[in-house]
Amino acid sequence: MDPECSRLLPALCAVLADPRQPVVDDTCLEKLLDWFKTVTEAESSLLMLQENPCLVELLSHVLKLQDVSSRVLSFSLRLAGIFAAQENCFQYLQQGELLPGLFGEAGPLSRAAWTVPTVRSGWIQGLCSLAQHPSALHFLADHGAIDTIFSLQGDSSLFVASAASQLLVHILALSMCSRAKGHSGPVGGDWPACAQKIVGHIEESLHSATTPQVTQALNVLTTTFGRCHSPWTEALWTRLNPLVACLLERDPIPAAHSLVDLLLSVVRAPVFSSSDCGLWETVARTLSCLSPTQAGPLAVGILKLQHCPQELRAQAFGVLLQPLDCVLKAMAQAPGLPGLLDGAAGDSMMEDTLLSSKSACVGLLCRTLAHLEELQPLPQRPSPWPQAPLLGAAVTILRFCDGSAVPASSMGNHLCGTLAGCVRVQRAALDFLGMLSQGTSPQELVTQVFAVLLEYLKSPDSSPTVLKKAFQAMLRWLLSSAKTAGCSDLSRHTVLVLRELFPVLQKRLCSPCWEVRDSALEFLTHLSRNWGGQADFRHALLGSEVPKLAWQLLQDPEGYVRASAVTAVGQLSSRGLHASPTSPEHPEAQQGLLSEFLHILSEDSEGFPRRAVMQVFTEWLRDGHADVAHDTEQFVATVLQVMSQDLDWEVRAQGLELALVFLAQILGQPDPHCPYAVALPKAAPPGLLTEVLQTLCRVRLFEFVFRALFDCDRPVAQKSCDLLLFLRDKTAPCSHPQEAGGSPDSASMEATLQRWRAGEQGQPLGDLEPEAVLAILGSIDLEGLQGMLAKSSDHMERSPQSLLKDMLATVHVLEENEADCY
Amino acid sequence: MPEIRVTPLGAGQDVGRSCILVSIAGKNVMLDCGMHMGFNDDRRFPDFSYITQNGRLTDFLDCVIISHFHLDHCGALPYFSEMVGYDGPIYMTHPTQAICPILLEDYRKIAVDKKGEANFFTSQMIKDCMKKVVAVHLHQTVQVDDELEIKAYYAGHVLGAAMFQIKVGSESVVYTGDYNMTPDRHLGAAWIDKCRPNLLITESTYATTIRDSKRCRERDFLKKVHETVERGGKVLIPVFALGRAQELCILLETFWERMNLKVPIYFSTGLTEKANHYYKLFITWTNQKIRKTFVQRNMFEFKHIKAFDRAFADNPGPMVVFATPGMLHAGQSLQIFRKWAGNEKNMVIMPGYCVQGTVGHKILSGQRKLEMEGRQVLEVKMQVEYMSFSAHADAKGIMQLVGQAEPESVLLVHGEAKKMEFLKQKIEQEFRVNCYMPANGETVTLPTSPSIPVGISLGLLKQEMAQAGLLPEAKKPRLLHGTLIMKDSNLRLVSSEQALKELGLAEHQLRFTCRVHLHDTRKEQETAMRVHSHLKSILKDHCVQHLPDGSVTVESILIQAAAHSEDPGTKVLLVSWTYQDEELGSYLTSLLKKGLPQAPS
């Protein structure tokens, strides 16, 4: 432990032990425990207690106090647990009878403070830390702790109940592991006493007629099989499987959700990959006994498994397909559409659920769509994957929702009425539809997909969130259709879609909702990034008003939209698709865009658009955009000048990124794996370097970078430091500090930098000469600075010493300021 | 049994990150989704694993409601929606929707600045999260789905703060968020109608305090600023970009105007323009005075407050600077503080709460020697002042709101346990309602008795009117007999005849029968006559008839006399009646059991 902390500890312990002192806030006590945990992980707890007797004194004092605050009591319990995790320290605390006092029946358990959930939680967490060695097991058994933990499983606080279950699992595992050293697993009834007690309790709970008790048992088992993968878990399952299976005979099945979690936890456990133990049979029965809504998560979990009986997979997939099968059958008049579960008789339970109430129907469909969406991209998804009927079902659902479906059955009519305008289902179906773009689908269905997506994008009833998802799905389908076309040009069909799409996009770019305008711009950006080079796309885009509208949105009242417009217009411009409002075809419009962006960079009151401009400029510079390439120096100089005083540090950081790209272009690329690498393989030749440095001086890059080095926002300073290190290493052979260091130019520069470092950034650097820059580069301790900047900006305030001092200092003023908030 | 369940994941017996789960008539709603600025790891967010246990978040939760833009109420929202995976609707008022991303962005930048802050949301995530927001107007009933509806009420506290009523059928819960029952310089007082919810969930920050007038604090603030600039000192006021900053700006602007002061006031973030834009845009959310004077002079257009340039900090002479962030934990406010701290003429005024681990917290706890990087020590000689401008209802205000809404039960959140205990007793005593104060993770379950609407047929009402002959009185309950039928999920009370007709059922008569033994040696006919005359003398309002077949009837009650098979001195009276005359039938039986009066000899 740090000596300074050791010095402060007695005073802090005295404060904590004094009931008259108001208790500091919870976060301090939590952070204090974090620190103790870190310290005890690195050094001996026993030694720490011996060197800092105040800690044991605090614990014994807390025990004696009757009116100790619940926060301090809870803290003490957790602290004692952290110390007692090491066996020798546990023995040491045992000698002083401290542990029985804290965790035994005579401790907080019997006090009024036990009614406070924090204290019960502290008791559990303390025991959880403590239970690390065999002595702890004896301790728990001797002091009746296990029974208390059993009762805490049903605690009124979710946090306490959950922690109690976790603790039981922890103890069970410890008990089994302590014994397992000489045994491969329990044989017959030969379980260690502690484990036997816990398993017996679980068995009893599984027999119970009350659902909460069954739930508790199932939750403990779920955690056990999730965490413990030793052979004994197999024996445990063999013992409990019949009891779990018995739950399926009850009506209704108790704690169905927890039962599903348990079964998934067991089937995922590696220990069962080789043996069965009746597991698959129980799972199959569960699948058939549970309601469609309850069975969904189990089915998807099974289908995600790498190894599992084929029949069970088919059964599970059937569970997921059934709701969509019902949907397809409800639209029975669609000719030639393949069904999802051909030959299978309609499941009446499924139909009942879909018909019973709107919320049941919506819930089931949303869950099913989400499960199938989750499954679709996985390599272990069922094969053959019924892409076409699934697509048909998704389209049908979307049509039910927008009222364009013409169902032939009464079920269809009912679904139409239930799903009309249901945003939840629309969102889920659009997500699923987007995901289905990854597969190969018949052209006829693809046509339907585009038709329904266009309808959604056109519909005045579509909500902003639905529109966003419709745009996303449309993008995925457009990109995938180009991929499947297999040639460089877009398919005829895609071109037709684009022709219809751009008028819709135009309309959406004028939407009164900023969310919609923004989603439309994002869509445009992605599309032009991918298809900017496609002649058909270019033709369709330039034939529409879209580029002009995107330009107009640079003046949007909403900052988010302006930023998206900057990105979109910047992207269009990179692809030569840009159009100014006045003259779409004329090259001078390009110049207009650059000044428009510079105007945004200097004038926009919000950071997002300014950041977006910097990103576009950096990309332009990197890609050699025509406007930039014709006078790169002038471009860089102007941009740096405009943004160097920006109030948003992310804009300044982006400015450094631009400076780095510029440097890389004139000096050679930095290591791609480590752009700011200190050690570079090769330095530039001296003649070139002088020229380069002169260029950098001309664009006033050093003024900006050195200023950034002492920026009050650390990421900026760090980035600047990395950039200077890159530059210094590149210029190393030219640098002669002895000669250059004495020049009057460098002396005044050094003085200015000193002032900047002290926070006085008013004075400019003035005109610089390359020699002076080289001298400065050599004289600044950039490595030292880099080391310092690599730390968190508040690392001093977050240190343990600072925490202890704060806690001590707060004591005297707490009452004065009282607890306050925003 | 229908019930309302409430589980705070945050703000249960603490003032940290507000996040309360409410389950009402099968609908699950999350109230606020706040962040604790005192932690730098996942503990800053509420523990959502307790909801994810219930399956997919979007399926489990019907909606999220955000009461106002403070980070302890909305700071975890992008994390929840973009990282934990909630994809459903989020409701908040229009000003909150506009201002929320500014503060989230403000905080994100600080979090990114501090390295090692893993698992934090990005700028894009904030935007994507805000796109899921459905903005609501005050007093507008918003239908979340077919059954769940919400309605916002004015809460004061900060611009756009709202209380929300959540209603499913006849059950409702009101969540206050943070509110203020007294108007301040730019906002009005909270107001709610007598909505009589099943449960009122109220904040209780100042549960035991009667707060002094804010005017005193304002005067004190102005005096301190004035004194400092008068003696040539500089005043630093660390603030968060929006909220308190504007309130203090109005104060200083007005004071400067009145005193004709020339000392410059700067606002450092460049957000003044944006903030002022929002205050102008949402002028209807401010108080009456600001709205009234808006036409002549916009309170949010400041003549004396200028944008700050970093170089200004080194200018000689007095000045006042508002700088972000508010807890002196990074960036510009900390940089200016470092520059000015060494001069005893200067002053820093902390207008809000600071968490541990910040320089703001250190100086407020009286520390004057701050360790800086590189073993440097910063000696704080400047004056340090703390002034709480937080606008919460005090004990009186909370009681006033409870009285206004008339809830069936009250639940306290966002306060300290000890103070809550006091207020709980007070509420229970004064309003005779149950008051709860669950800790985080504890669930309060309230049984509710849902009212089921039943229609009454006009025919039945007319029949009842004709029989009782009285007009119905609004406040006087009346007993009404009829048949309850359910058709197309609607319940109706109709006459039995109508019910039979509507349901297409044949009528079956159910008669109660009873035998009464009488000691009478006379013939059956004579006994019947005696019964007739006895009943006629007692039941003057009823029609008592002696039929030719010898039986006696009273309404539907039929009485026949027969001889006893074994005892000729005893006659058996067979009494039967229909269900409708159950009362009269029972009465007659008991009457006959007492025997007949002696016949005149």
Side-chain angles (χ1 to χ4, degrees):
Chain A
M1 186 189 288
D2 177 271
E4 171 74 356
C5 293
S6 210
R7 192 183 63 77
L8 294 167
L9 260 186
L12 182 72
C13 289
V15 168
L16 291 174
D18 185 352
R20 289 163 306 171
Q21 297 284 5
V23 183
V24 283
D25 68 294
D26 276 347
T27 62
C28 289
L29 293 175
E30 285 276 333
K31 287 176 200 166
L32 203 55
L33 285 168
D34 290 349
W35 172 59
F36 276 118
K37 219 169 182 177
T38 321
V39 174
T40 53
E41 273 162 12
E43 24 181 295
S44 154
S45 302
L46 181 60
L47 207 64
M48 184 163 74
L49 288 192
Q50 284 166 342
E51 283 173 0
N52 300 283
C54 59
L55 291 168
V56 175
E57 279 162 26
L58 168 69
L59 296 178
S60 25
H61 196 75
V62 164
L63 258 183
K64 285 177 211 146
L65 282 176
Q66 282 305 311
D67 53 351
V68 65
S69 92
S70 51
R71 281 175 183 175
V72 173
L73 183 55
S74 173
F75 166 80
S76 307
L77 289 163
R78 291 169 69 186
L79 186 64
I82 290 172
F83 293 143
Q86 293 176 13
E87 201 159 5
N88 57 356
C89 195
F90 171 85
Q91 308 293 2
Y92 176 75
L93 291 171
Q94 272 288 66
Q95 283 162 20
E97 283 297 305
L98 259 177
L99 295 177
L102 285 166
F103 296 104
E105 276 159 5
L109 266 168
S110 56
R111 293 199 207 166
W114 191 249
T115 55
V116 182
T118 328
V119 174
R120 301 197 296 276
S121 179
W123 187 85
I124 293 176
Q125 284 173 285
L127 280 186
C128 201
S129 308
L130 174 152
Q132 304 294 337
H133 37 76
S135 313
L137 280 178
H138 292 297
F139 174 80
L140 293 170
D142 294 347
H143 292 90
I146 310 273
D147 288 315
T148 312
I149 302 168
F150 288 159
S151 67
L152 287 175
Q153 278 186 289
D155 199 273
S156 61
S157 163
L158 279 177
F159 300 161
V160 174
S162 159
S165 290
Q166 311 262 336
L167 178 57
L168 273 189
V169 177
H170 181 75
I171 296 169
L172 176 64
L174 178 69
S175 167
M176 292 308 295
C177 290
S178 327
R179 183 192 162 280
K181 277 165 192 158
H183 307 254
S184 59
V187 183
D190 183 21
W191 294 69
C194 194
Q196 178 59 39
K197 186 166 182 160
I198 295 172
V199 175
H201 172 73
I202 294 172
E203 284 175 327
E204 203 179 298
S205 304
L206 287 174
H207 278 301
S208 165
T210 56
T211 303
Q213 224 170 323
V214 177
T215 312
Q216 286 162 21
L218 293 174
N219 288 348
V220 169
L221 288 174
T222 305
T223 318
T224 308
F225 290 106
R227 277 197 206 155
C228 314
H229 302 133
S230 309
W232 62 265
T233 51
E234 198 177 333
L236 181 66
W237 178 253
T238 313
R239 184 170 161 178
L240 296 176
N241 184 25
L243 287 180
V244 173
C246 274
L247 295 176
L248 299 171
E249 281 156 24
R250 299 198 208 167
D251 188 22
I253 296 169
H257 185 85
S258 300
L259 178 62
V260 167
D261 284 348
L262 168 64
L263 291 175
L264 286 177
S265 174
V266 181
V267 296
R268 283 175 194 144
V271 75
F272 292 96
S273 55
S274 53
S275 58
D276 182 336
C277 312
L279 173 64
W280 301 124
E281 196 192 324
T282 309
V283 174
R285 272 189 60 205
T286 313
L287 267 183
S288 54
C289 291
L290 291 179
S291 75
T293 318
Q294 292 165 334
L298 181 59
V300 79
I302 290 167
L303 291 168
K304 279 182 179 175
L305 292 175
Q306 297 288 352
H307 305 287
C308 138
Q310 199 51 42
E311 264 175 42
L312 186 65
R313 281 175 69 82
Q315 188 190 353
F317 200 36
V319 167
L320 292 185
L321 295 181
Q322 263 174 6
L324 300 192
D325 187 53
C326 280
V327 168
L328 281 178
K329 282 181 182 147
M331 275 290 282
Q333 108 282 16
L337 204 67
L340 270 165
L341 294 168
D342 283 338
D347 186 316
S348 62
M349 188 150 64
M350 182 64 61
E351 284 184 12
D352 287 349
T353 311
L354 288 173
L355 293 172
S356 64
S357 72
K358 181 168 178 170
S359 57
C361 175
V362 168
L364 178 62
L365 284 180
C366 286
R367 281 187 184 96
T368 306
L369 291 167
H371 291 323
L372 288 166
E373 185 194 338
E374 208 179 319
L375 218 51
Q376 208 276 348
L378 302 180
Q380 69 270 36
R381 71 174 192 197
S383 176
W385 178 255
Q387 171 80 5
L390 284 177
L391 204 50
V395 170
T396 307
I397 291 173
L398 285 169
R399 291 204 179 283
F400 277 139
C401 291
D402 75 352
S404 64
V406 191
S409 64
S410 63
M411 172 81 172
N413 281 326
H414 180 85
L415 283 176
C416 237
T418 308
L419 300 180
C422 180
V423 176
R424 265 182 79 184
V425 176
Q426 287 176 358
R427 283 197 309 248
L430 285 167
D431 276 344
F432 180 52
L433 190 68
M435 187 56 88
L436 284 174
S437 66
Q438 288 178 12
T440 319
S441 318
Q443 187 53 46
E444 192 194 329
L445 273 174
V446 176
T447 312
Q448 284 189 34
V449 168
F450 281 121
V452 83
L453 285 175
L454 279 167
E455 272 168 38
Y456 267 76
L457 289 172
K458 278 179 199 165
S459 169
D461 299 329
S462 296
S463 75
T465 47
V466 167
L467 278 172
K468 184 184 168 183
K469 290 198 185 283
F471 271 126
Q472 285 171 340
M474 178 60 102
L475 182 72
R476 297 182 81 159
W477 274 97
L478 282 174
L479 297 182
S480 83
S481 72
K483 241 184 262 168
T484 47
C487 54
S488 57
D489 288 336
L490 300 177
S491 69
R492 196 182 63 83
H493 186 255
T494 313
V495 175
L496 287 176
V497 173
L498 284 181
R499 242 178 247 167
E500 267 198 81
L501 178 66
F502 280 112
V504 181
L505 193 59
Q506 268 169 222
K507 191 179 134 196
R508 293 303 177 192
L509 286 170
C510 304
S511 166
C513 285
W514 73 264
E515 296 92 335
V516 177
R517 297 195 301 275
D518 193 74
S519 298
L521 283 167
E522 283 180 341
F523 173 76
L524 176 64
T525 306
H526 287 299
L527 205 57
S528 42
R529 185 166 290 149
N530 283 283
W531 281 359
Q534 300 275 8
D536 292 325
F537 171 76
R538 298 172 68 87
H539 186 71
L541 178 75
L542 289 172
S544 74
E545 296 280 294
V546 168
K548 194 172 129 190
L549 288 169
W551 172 290
Q552 283 171 4
L553 289 177
L554 293 173
Q555 263 84 44
D556 197 275
E558 184 59 45
Y560 278 139
V561 179
R562 290 200 299 279
S564 294
V566 166
T567 313
V569 174
Q571 183 62 44
L572 291 179
S573 170
S574 299
R575 298 295 191 147
L577 289 163
H578 159 74
S580 77
T582 46
S583 54
E585 308 288 285
H586 293 113
E588 60 267 27
Q590 291 289 91
Q591 206 52 46
L593 181 61
L594 181 61
S595 45
E596 181 71 32
F597 279 179
L598 283 171
H599 178 75
I600 293 172
L601 187 61
S602 58
E603 296 294 324
D604 203 300
S605 63
E606 283 183 72
F608 313 114
R610 301 202 305 270
R611 263 186 261 159
V613 167
M614 283 310 296
Q615 267 156 7
V616 168
F617 281 165
T618 312
E619 260 178 57
W620 280 7
L621 182 65
R622 198 178 278 134
D623 303 342
H625 187 281
D627 293 343
V628 176
H630 88 267
D631 191 350
T632 311
E633 239 186 89
Q634 177 60 35
F635 170 76
V636 173
T638 315
V639 174
L640 291 185
Q641 193 207 344
V642 173
M643 53 66 56
S644 61
Q645 295 292 312
D646 201 290
L647 289 166
D648 183 341
W649 69 254
E650 281 176 299
V651 175
R652 301 199 296 279
Q654 191 64 47
L656 287 161
E657 186 65 39
L658 181 125
L660 188 78
V661 171
F662 183 59
L663 269 184
Q665 282 179 353
I666 54 176
L667 275 170
Q669 286 296 329
D671 183 346
H673 300 296
C674 181
Y676 309 115
V678 178
L680 282 153
K682 215 166 65 179
L688 174 71
L689 268 177
T690 319
E691 209 176 295
V692 163
L693 287 172
Q694 271 165 353
T695 311
L696 297 179
C697 289
R698 272 199 305 277
V699 300
R700 308 196 75 82
L701 182 133
F702 290 112
E703 170 107 23
F704 167 60
V705 176
F706 280 122
R707 224 180 250 280
L709 189 64
F710 306 113
D711 199 290
C712 65
D713 291 298
R714 189 166 289 231
V716 178
Q718 198 182 17
K719 212 159 191 177
S720 161
C721 188
D722 291 340
L723 187 144
L724 287 172
L725 274 165
F726 164 66
L727 188 66
R728 194 193 64 187
D729 291 330
K730 279 277 186 186
T731 55
C734 291
S735 169
H736 305 291
Q738 299 90 335
E739 294 163 32
S743 77
D745 204 13
S746 71
S748 91
M749 187 176 166
E750 206 157 338
T752 309
L753 289 182
Q754 282 299 338
R755 276 198 295 280
W756 284 6
R757 180 174 229 159
E760 291 171 36
Q761 297 220 338
Q763 192 184 337
L765 267 184
D767 291 329
L768 292 176
E769 288 303 320
E771 293 77 18
V773 172
L774 284 176
I776 294 295
L777 270 180
S779 67
I780 302 177
D781 176 18
L782 288 172
E783 278 86 359
L785 209 55
Q786 193 188 36
M788 195 181 83
L789 291 168
K791 291 179 191 158
S792 155
S793 62
D794 60 349
H795 70 101
M796 293 300 292
E797 287 81 36
R798 276 163 69 171
S799 67
Q801 296 90 324
S802 167
L803 173 67
L804 297 180
K805 279 184 190 166
D806 282 359
M807 289 178 81
L808 283 171
T810 313
V811 170
H812 310 290
V813 286
L814 206 66
E815 272 174 302
E816 222 175 280
N817 290 343
E818 276 222 63
D820 200 2
C821 57
Y822 313 103
Chain B
M1 187 73 179
E3 58 190 27
I4 293 173
R5 273 179 292 124
V6 183
T7 314
L9 293 180
Q13 297 185 9
D14 75 4
V15 185
R17 36 185 158 16
S18 286
C19 183
I20 300 144
L21 288 175
V22 173
S23 179
I24 169 170
K27 300 282 169 186
N28 298 307
V29 178
M30 183 190 275
L31 303 170
D32 282 335
C33 189
M35 175 174 71
H36 199 311
M37 295 219 259
F39 288 114
N40 296 310
D41 51 25
D42 269 359
R43 282 174 290 185
R44 76 177 115 213
F45 301 126
D47 192 343
F48 297 120
S49 61
Y50 294 92
I51 328 175
T52 46
Q53 275 170 9
N54 298 307
R56 290 179 67 243
L57 268 178
T58 314
D59 295 329
F60 174 74
L61 273 185
D62 290 280
C63 72
V64 173
I65 295 173
I66 301 293
S67 64
H68 64 287
F69 63 66
H70 278 154
L71 291 178
D72 58 335
H73 293 260
C74 73
L77 199 55
Y79 171 76
F80 185 63
S81 73
E82 306 309 306
M83 296 168 89
V84 185
Y86 171 71
D87 199 23
I90 301 162
Y91 292 90
M92 55 179 79
T93 64
H94 285 275
T96 307
Q97 188 199 21
I99 296 165
C100 209
I102 298 180
L103 291 183
L104 287 168
E105 189 64 18
D106 205 29
Y107 193 76
R108 182 194 64 79
K109 288 164 85 77
I110 295 164
V112 174
D113 190 331
K114 298 178 189 176
K115 271 166 276 303
E117 300 239 342
N119 218 3
F120 211 80
F121 43 80
T122 63
S123 211
Q124 179 70 31
M125 286 176 184
I126 299 176
K127 180 170 91 171
D128 289 340
C129 166
M130 296 319 292
K131 280 183 168 181
K132 293 177 182 168
V133 170
V134 182
V136 302
H137 294 285
L138 280 181
H139 305 153
Q140 169 200 6
T141 301
V142 178
Q143 211 69 41
V144 176
D145 59 34
D146 287 354
E147 292 144 352
L148 173 65
E149 61 181 47
I150 59 171
K151 189 174 176 182
Y153 291 94
Y154 192 77
H157 186 63
V158 288
L159 191 76
M163 306 192 264
F164 278 88
Q165 182 188 38
I166 302 113
K167 202 169 169 194
V168 183
S170 59
E171 294 174 31
S172 68
V173 170
V174 168
Y175 172 58
T176 64
D178 290 354
Y179 64 103
N180 190 8
M181 293 298 280
T182 49
D184 68 19
R185 206 163 271 271
H186 69 303
L187 296 170
W191 180 85
I192 195 161
D193 56 26
K194 210 172 276 304
C195 52
R196 298 195 177 101
N198 298 82
L199 179 68
L200 173 77
I201 304 174
T202 172
E203 68 132 324
S204 50
T205 319
Y206 295 133
T208 53
T209 322
I210 301 295
R211 289 208 102 189
D212 58 346
S213 153
K214 220 172 174 184
R215 299 268 154 186
C216 304
R217 268 171 283 153
E218 288 172 357
R219 261 200 306 272
D220 204 19
F221 167 78
L222 291 171
K223 192 173 153 228
K224 278 179 175 144
V225 173
H226 192 203
E227 279 171 4
T228 308
V229 293
E230 280 289 284
R231 63 168 182 262
K234 295 176 167 66
V235 181
L236 170 66
I237 309 170
V239 284
F240 284 102
L242 237 144
R244 200 148 302 146
Q246 281 64 42
E247 189 184 343
L248 298 180
C249 280
I250 299 178
L251 256 180
L252 281 186
E253 173 81 9
T254 322
F255 186 72
W256 250 236
E257 188 75 22
R258 202 174 68 223
M259 305 292 286
N260 198 21
L261 296 176
K262 298 284 177 248
V263 174
I265 308 175
Y266 299 113
F267 199 102
S268 82
T269 58
L271 279 164
T272 14
E273 217 176 289
K274 182 83 189 171
N276 297 344
H277 167 73
Y278 283 133
Y279 275 83
K280 271 184 257 175
L281 194 65
F282 302 117
I283 194 80
T284 50
W285 286 79
T286 53
N287 69 20
Q288 220 175 3
K289 192 179 164 197
I290 289 191
R291 275 182 309 209
K292 265 188 185 169
T293 54
F294 184 69
V295 188
Q296 305 130 27
R297 190 185 143 241
N298 177 4
M299 282 281 215
F300 298 102
E301 263 165 20
F302 303 117
K303 204 168 82 184
H304 298 273
I305 302 170
K306 304 274 185 301
F308 180 72
D309 184 294
R310 277 184 288 173
F312 294 170
D314 303 318
N315 288 354
M319 68 175 85
V320 181
V321 175
F322 287 94
T324 59
M327 298 186 193
L328 290 178
H329 41 329
Q332 204 148 61
S333 62
L334 184 59
Q335 195 187 36
I336 300 172
F337 171 77
R338 282 179 176 166
K339 277 186 192 182
W340 294 358
N343 189 338
E344 61 274 10
K345 277 205 290 189
N346 298 340
M347 177 185 279
V348 57
I349 300 180
M350 307 297 296
Y353 162 72
C354 294
V355 295
Q356 190 278 327
T358 60
V359 172
H361 180 271
K362 281 188 182 297
I363 58 169
L364 282 183
S365 63
Q367 297 181 59
R368 290 295 174 262
K369 282 191 177 161
L370 307 181
E371 277 180 41
M372 296 285 149
E373 278 174 331
R375 300 187 174 275
Q376 287 177 358
V377 173
L378 176 70
E379 199 164 345
V380 182
K381 290 183 183 159
M382 75 197 299
Q383 286 183 62
V384 178
E385 293 291 340
Y386 173 73
M387 285 186 183
S388 167
F389 280 89
S390 65
H392 294 268
D394 61 6
K396 211 169 112 191
I398 298 169
M399 297 299 279
Q400 196 184 331
L401 188 90
V402 176
Q404 215 167 307
E406 284 190 8
E408 285 174 18
S409 309
V410 177
L411 189 142
L412 304 178
V413 290
H414 201 279
E416 289 169 60
K418 270 189 185 164
K419 294 181 181 177
M420 280 182 174
E421 193 64 59
F422 174 81
L423 185 67
K424 173 177 148 51
Q425 282 176 10
K426 216 169 160 227
I427 289 173
E428 286 181 334
Q429 272 168 15
E430 193 158 319
F431 297 103
R432 306 261 164 224
V433 295
N434 284 331
C435 185
Y436 307 88
M437 41 172 283
N440 286 329
E442 278 189 317
T443 302
V444 168
T445 307
L446 293 171
T448 55
S449 29
S451 62
I452 301 162
V454 174
I456 301 180
S457 78
L458 198 61
L460 186 69
L461 278 176
K462 280 182 180 165
Q463 198 179 314
E464 179 72 12
M465 291 264 292
Q467 275 174 14
L470 288 168
L471 285 171
E473 279 181 59
K475 285 185 179 171
K476 212 170 169 188
R478 274 251 300 269
L479 196 64
L480 188 75
H481 289 275
T483 307
L484 193 66
I485 58 169
M486 191 166 145
K487 259 177 121 181
D488 305 325
S489 307
N490 288 322
L491 285 170
R492 272 188 315 138
L493 195 68
V494 296
S495 66
S496 50
E497 297 80 29
Q498 195 181 339
L500 288 169
K501 204 173 142 194
E502 283 195 24
L503 301 173
L505 297 172
E507 188 176 13
H508 293 269
Q509 279 276 347
L510 182 72
R511 289 188 78 86
F512 296 91
T513 57
C514 183
R515 283 164 186 263
V516 180
H517 294 256
L518 278 181
H519 182 73
D520 193 352
T521 50
R522 274 164 273 204
K523 286 191 174 170
E524 292 90 342
Q525 289 87 340
E526 284 177 49
T527 310
M529 277 183 67
R530 286 182 66 202
V531 170
H532 175 246
S533 36
H534 176 53
L535 293 181
K536 203 157 183 178
S537 66
I538 293 175
L539 303 168
K540 294 217 164 69
D541 295 337
H542 293 272
C543 172
V544 184
Q545 287 181 304
H546 193 192
L547 300 181
D549 66 351
S551 50
V552 177
T553 62
V554 184
E555 310 292 348
S556 74
I557 299 153
L558 183 72
I559 306 162
Q560 287 171 320
H564 198 281
S565 55
E566 288 162 14
D567 179 8
T570 301
K571 294 287 167 300
V572 180
L573 292 180
L574 297 166
V575 189
S576 78
W577 63 92
T578 62
Y579 160 75
Q580 284 85 350
D581 288 324
E582 154 71 1
E583 218 173 316
L584 186 62
S586 305
Y587 171 67
L588 273 188
T589 320
S590 59
L591 199 69
L592 293 171
K593 274 181 181 167
K594 286 179 191 161
L596 298 172
Q598 283 300 313
S601 49

